[in-house]
Amino acid sequence: MKVLVPVKRVVDYNVKVRVKSDGTGVDIANVKMSMNPFDEIAVEEAVRLREKGIVTEVIAVSCGVPQCTETLRTAMAIGADRAILVETDVELQPLAVAKLLKALIDKEQPDLVILGKQAIDDDSNQTGQMLAALADWPQATFANKVEVVDGKAIVTREVDGGLETLAITLPAVITTDLRLNEPRYVTLPNIMKAKKKTVDTYKPEELGVDVTPRLKTLKVVEPAKRSSGVMVADVAALVDKLKNEAKVLG
């Protein structure tokens, strides 16, 4: 059984992002980049399935600039067997990524695709769902527990009212939530081993996919700064300020 795990290179979650002065986007020059945390969880889950003897091969995939190879090396240090980079300098939007992954599905014929439910840079939460639609595969999103039994994936997922358990036939697409697992610490020996593993590179044209952006960012602005709080003498003063200054009381 083969598993495909897409991983995205994003600004590290510990970095405080800055908006460019011209408002065209986020400044990523000279900032630390890392694997999207939800995708790291997806890689860990795929490796655990291989350690259980259910999966035979884990393939990490990334789409974007050549530096995405570093993200793929991290995935292979966690335990992925090999990696694929779809190299392009074009800004990739969720539909374009889903189309690229669909082309790789046709080429690699995996039984399962596990990916993060969303990326922490654009928070789109679209790629997994779009991929399932393009491939006409069943999907289970926001997984916090995954079991593979008799050609089916039993997925417990988080919903507003609690937990929901789905049984989906393979091949399928699963997107991971934060509570699915805790990724292992990447050790130096595994980082060194990852450098020897294979990374195949394709261009979008080789896969027959048009990645031209469909959406245009008009402007990016920082959230408004919060005004400082004030001390009030009593409840009457609080109610007065809520009514007349904050305008939150009728």
Side-chain angles (χ1 to χ4, degrees):
M1 178 174 164
K2 189 187 293 187
V3 177
L4 203 69
V5 186
V7 295
K8 186 176 184 181
R9 179 176 181 262
V10 299
V11 175
D12 189 87
Y13 68 92
N14 287 311
V15 173
K16 181 173 173 36
V17 295
R18 300 184 305 274
V19 174
K20 293 179 181 177
S21 57
D22 59 4
T24 57
V26 172
D27 186 4
I28 60 171
N30 301 315
V31 301
K32 182 182 178 183
M33 306 293 283
S34 301
M35 186 190 302
N36 180 47
F38 290 101
D39 296 337
E40 194 173 358
I41 290 168
V43 176
E44 174 67 27
E45 191 65 23
V47 172
R48 290 187 185 190
L49 288 172
R50 192 194 60 205
E51 290 171 345
K52 291 176 183 176
I54 297 168
V55 168
T56 54
E57 186 178 29
V58 177
I59 308 166
V61 180
S62 193
C63 306
V65 295
Q67 292 90 328
C68 291
T69 303
E70 300 165 12
T71 307
L72 291 171
R73 295 289 180 199
T74 301
M76 290 189 288
I78 294 173
D81 298 292
R82 59 187 175 93
I84 298 173
L85 171 64
V86 182
E87 187 180 328
T88 178
D89 293 326
V90 177
E91 177 201 350
L92 292 175
Q93 295 173 350
L95 181 59
V97 176
K99 288 180 176 179
L100 291 170
L101 295 176
K102 170 62 169 62
L104 290 174
I105 281 176
D106 294 339
K107 184 181 286 289
E108 292 289 342
Q109 297 293 310
D111 301 282
L112 185 62
V113 177
I114 306 179
L115 68 161
K117 69 172 184 177
Q118 66 195 74
I120 62 170
D121 52 1
D122 58 16
D123 276 335
S124 291
N125 180 22
Q126 294 174 342
T127 304
Q129 293 89 327
M130 287 177 169
L131 175 60
L134 290 171
D136 196 23
W137 283 7
Q139 62 177 305
T141 56
F142 315 144
N144 77 353
K145 185 178 180 182
V146 176
E147 295 178 318
V148 178
V149 183
D150 297 331
K152 289 186 177 181
I154 313 300
V155 180
T156 303
R157 58 189 300 270
E158 298 189 3
V159 295
D160 290 341
L163 299 176
E164 177 182 65
T165 301
L166 302 176
I168 54 176
T169 54
L170 301 180
V173 176
I174 295 174
T175 71
T176 64
D177 212 337
L178 278 176
R179 281 162 287 280
L180 177 59
N181 62 52
E182 185 175 338
R184 68 195 66 190
Y185 177 75
V186 179
T187 61
L188 182 59
N190 286 337
I191 292 172
M192 301 306 293
K193 288 176 187 175
K195 292 182 178 180
K196 299 178 182 178
K197 293 183 179 179
T198 306
V199 178
D200 298 321
T201 304
Y202 298 98
K203 297 284 187 183
E205 307 82 60
E206 295 176 73
L207 299 173
V209 177
D210 178 11
V211 294
T212 304
R214 306 291 186 92
L215 306 173
K216 182 180 179 182
T217 301
L218 300 179
K219 191 176 183 182
V220 178
V221 295
E222 290 187 12
K225 289 183 170 57
R226 293 180 60 181
S227 56
S228 57
V230 294
M231 297 290 289
V232 293
D234 50 34
V235 174
L238 173 62
V239 172
D240 179 67
K241 286 187 176 293
L242 290 174
K243 184 182 292 185
N244 301 314
E245 291 184 25
K247 306 290 186 185
V248 295
L249 292 179

